[in-house]
């Protein structure tokens, strides 16, 4: 049975539990005796329904760790599982020793809002989705009393886009520079990114057998956080054509001991690219921005969007429209001029 103990001006309710052959107690303090009695009654009723109250004293961080290693590890791909592992570090930092019994939508909302202050809305949303999934599992198992996950919202703002497409002028400048200096392996990696729109991991996964005349079979991707080289989606599996000059440069590259054409270089390609762009006085972008540049350049040349979408390995054309086909400055200016010319002719 539950017990209510007066402690100064507050009341402490205590419920006996039985967990794995051991007797434990679950307690909570309230400002009034009535509140303590209501909570104790709720806990006793929950015990009668067979809910796992003993687990409510487990910290959320410990629950999340057990959950991902016992449940999620068998449900998701290796790369996705590693994302859950990285999320565990975030949860330990945010929630620390907060127990399952002390969680509610307000507590979780405050924690996710704190995280949002130093991270993008997109990153925050991805973290929150994993937290919500874990909370729903905890509720289904009776470890938390209420299904409050749906009440927690993603807040904050997205920072300015870092992987912006280069202008046509800078695109040509960068392409000519790396094309004229093929002795530097990194230059060839940049050249292929501009030439194909392939992701960095897809470029690093190129082997001699990936090449055909004149193109590259995209079948694998290298990740710095996982040994899984499979592609994210079936649509990412594709053949990407390249011109003869670039094909000959890549074909002549010596193969590394691990069988790949490009060295992984500690996955420092972003830093190397930043240094190269600074040297050439080109506005900064990310390595993924070279993929955006490729797509935007093709779009600026009026290449059919269906072809661009397939070349990039997107799931559908809508993805291409939403995220990649931002007009290059020169193309936008031309479109403005054409629009004004049409209006003037009315």
């Amino acid at each position: 049975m539950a017990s209510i103990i007066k402690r100064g001006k507050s009341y402490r309710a205590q419920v006996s539990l039985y967990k794995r052959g051991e007797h434990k107690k679950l307690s909570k303090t309230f400002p009034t005796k009535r509140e303590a009695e209501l909570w104790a009654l709720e806990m006793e009723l929950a015990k009668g329904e067979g809910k796992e109250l003993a687990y409510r004293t487990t910290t959320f961080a410990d629950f999340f760790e057990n959950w991902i290693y016992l449940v999620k590890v068998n449900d998701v791909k290796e790369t996705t599982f590693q994302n859950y592992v990285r999320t565990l570090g975030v949860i330990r930092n945010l929630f620390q020793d907060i127990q399952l019994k002390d969680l509610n939508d307000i507590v979780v909302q405050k924690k996710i809002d704190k995280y949002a202050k130093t991270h993008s809305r997109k990153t925050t949303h991805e973290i929150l989705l994993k937290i919500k999934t874990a909370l729903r599992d905890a509720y289904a198992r009776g470890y938390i009393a209420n299904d409050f996950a749906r009440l927690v919202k993603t807040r904050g703002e997205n920072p300015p886009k870092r992987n912006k497409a280069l202008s046509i002028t800078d695109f040509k400048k960068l392409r000519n520079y790396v094309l004229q200096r093929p002795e530097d392996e990194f230059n060839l990696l940049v050249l292929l990114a501009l030439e194909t729109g392939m992701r960095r991991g897809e470029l690093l996964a190129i082997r001699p057998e990936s090449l055909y005349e004149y193109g590259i079979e995209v079948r694998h991707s290298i990740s710095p956080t996982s040994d899984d080289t499979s592609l994210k989606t079936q649509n990412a599996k594709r053949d990407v054509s390249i011109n003869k000059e670039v094909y000959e440069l890549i074909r002549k590259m010596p193969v590394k001991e691990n069988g790949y054409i490009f060295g992984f270089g500690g996955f420092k390609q972003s830093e190397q690219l930043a240094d190269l762009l600074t040297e050439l006085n080109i506005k900064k972008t990310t390595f993924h921005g070279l993929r955006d540049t490729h797509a935007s350049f093709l779009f600026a040349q009026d290449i059919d969007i269906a072809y661009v979408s397939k070349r990039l390995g997107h799931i559908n054309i809508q993805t291409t429209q939403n995220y990649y086909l931002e007009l290059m400055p020169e193309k936008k200016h031309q479109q403005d001029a054409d629009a004004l010319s049409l209006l003037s002719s009315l």
Side-chain angles (χ1 to χ4, degrees):
M1 292 293 293
S3 61
I4 310 294
I5 304 172
K6 192 174 189 307
R7 299 172 65 95
K9 295 182 178 181
S10 61
Y11 293 84
R12 184 182 182 185
Q14 197 170 72
V15 179
S16 297
L17 304 173
Y18 187 76
K19 177 182 178 181
R20 295 177 182 174
E22 297 182 11
H23 288 283
K24 295 181 179 293
K25 292 184 182 297
L26 184 63
S27 60
K28 191 171 184 178
T29 301
F30 298 89
T32 67
K33 184 177 181 180
R34 179 57 178 163
E35 288 177 294
E37 289 174 339
L38 287 174
W39 178 83
L41 177 60
E42 179 188 352
M43 295 300 102
E44 289 293 346
L45 290 173
K47 283 171 58 178
E49 294 172 0
K51 292 187 176 181
E52 300 283 356
L53 297 184
Y55 285 97
R56 295 184 181 180
T57 57
T58 300
T59 67
F60 177 53
D62 285 344
F63 168 79
F64 190 87
E65 181 174 13
N66 289 332
W67 176 69
I68 64 173
Y69 281 103
L70 294 176
V71 179
K72 299 307 292 184
V73 68
N74 298 315
D75 292 343
V76 297
K77 290 176 56 176
E78 173 63 21
T79 51
T80 304
F81 176 72
Q82 291 304 321
N83 286 333
Y84 276 96
V85 173
R86 286 191 289 273
T87 300
L88 172 60
V90 174
I91 288 175
R92 286 205 176 280
N93 182 55
L94 284 177
F95 291 87
Q96 298 183 10
D97 294 329
I98 296 178
Q99 298 177 352
L100 290 175
K101 66 182 177 65
D102 297 320
L103 288 180
N104 56 48
D105 59 297
I106 296 175
V107 171
V108 178
Q109 187 69 67
K110 286 183 177 179
K111 295 300 181 182
I112 206 67
D113 287 348
K114 177 183 177 182
Y115 184 79
K117 290 180 179 179
T118 54
H119 295 81
S120 71
R121 186 181 180 89
K122 179 182 177 182
T123 300
T124 303
H125 185 64
E126 291 173 351
I127 292 293
L128 181 56
L129 285 178
K130 293 179 176 60
I131 290 175
K132 284 185 172 183
T133 304
L135 288 173
R136 291 190 184 101
D137 188 279
Y139 172 72
R141 297 173 189 275
Y143 300 168
I144 57 178
N146 299 301
D147 184 15
F148 58 80
R150 60 185 175 81
L151 300 176
V152 186
K153 309 296 182 183
T154 302
R155 294 171 181 161
E157 300 179 357
N158 278 324
K161 187 179 179 182
R162 296 186 305 121
N163 53 315
K164 289 185 176 181
L166 300 177
S167 67
I168 294 177
T169 302
D170 285 342
F171 170 57
K172 290 181 178 179
K173 184 178 182 180
L174 178 59
R175 186 178 185 279
N176 288 336
Y177 179 88
V178 295
L179 185 59
Q180 293 169 11
R181 295 165 177 79
E183 66 280 359
D184 188 322
E185 181 180 301
F186 181 71
N187 286 345
L188 289 180
L189 188 68
V190 172
L191 176 62
L192 265 191
L194 292 170
E195 187 81 6
T196 66
M198 290 169 60
R199 302 173 178 89
R200 182 187 66 167
E202 295 170 344
L203 293 168
L204 295 179
I206 296 176
R207 293 173 174 268
E209 56 267 29
S210 305
L211 300 176
Y212 67 90
E213 191 178 14
Y214 299 100
I216 302 171
E217 294 180 347
V218 182
R219 300 292 185 272
H220 301 281
S221 181
I222 299 296
S223 169
T225 59
S226 172
D227 294 331
D228 183 7
T229 63
S230 61
L231 297 172
K232 289 184 177 181
T233 66
Q234 185 63 27
N235 297 77
K237 180 180 178 181
R238 63 200 187 280
D239 295 345
V240 182
S241 59
I242 54 178
N243 67 52
K244 182 178 180 181
E245 183 179 16
V246 174
Y247 169 78
E248 292 297 340
L249 289 173
I250 303 303
R251 188 176 65 84
K252 293 176 182 177
M253 290 181 64
V255 181
K256 305 295 184 293
E257 290 185 3
N258 59 8
Y260 294 103
I261 290 179
F262 291 104
F264 301 162
F267 298 95
K268 301 291 185 180
Q269 291 81 14
S270 295
E271 291 89 334
Q272 288 178 273
L273 177 62
D275 292 340
L276 177 58
L277 296 178
T278 299
E279 180 184 342
L280 297 178
N281 195 27
I282 294 176
K283 288 186 178 180
K284 286 187 178 180
T285 187
T286 63
F287 210 86
H288 196 86
L290 301 182
R291 174 173 165 85
D292 286 12
T293 300
H294 175 81
S296 295
F297 179 74
L298 294 183
F299 184 55
Q301 305 307 312
D302 297 321
I303 299 297
D304 185 77
I305 189 173
Y307 170 82
V308 177
S309 183
K310 186 175 181 180
R311 186 173 176 87
L312 293 175
H314 286 162
I315 295 176
N316 52 49
I317 293 177
Q318 190 63 48
T319 301
T320 312
Q321 291 176 321
N322 289 345
Y323 299 105
Y324 290 89
L325 298 185
E326 180 179 338
L327 287 174
M328 288 181 160
E330 295 91 340
K331 182 68 174 180
K332 183 178 184 299
H333 295 156
Q334 182 60 51
Q335 295 282 300
D336 287 341
D338 290 346
L340 292 175
S341 177
L342 286 171
L343 291 169
S344 298
S345 66
L346 293 176

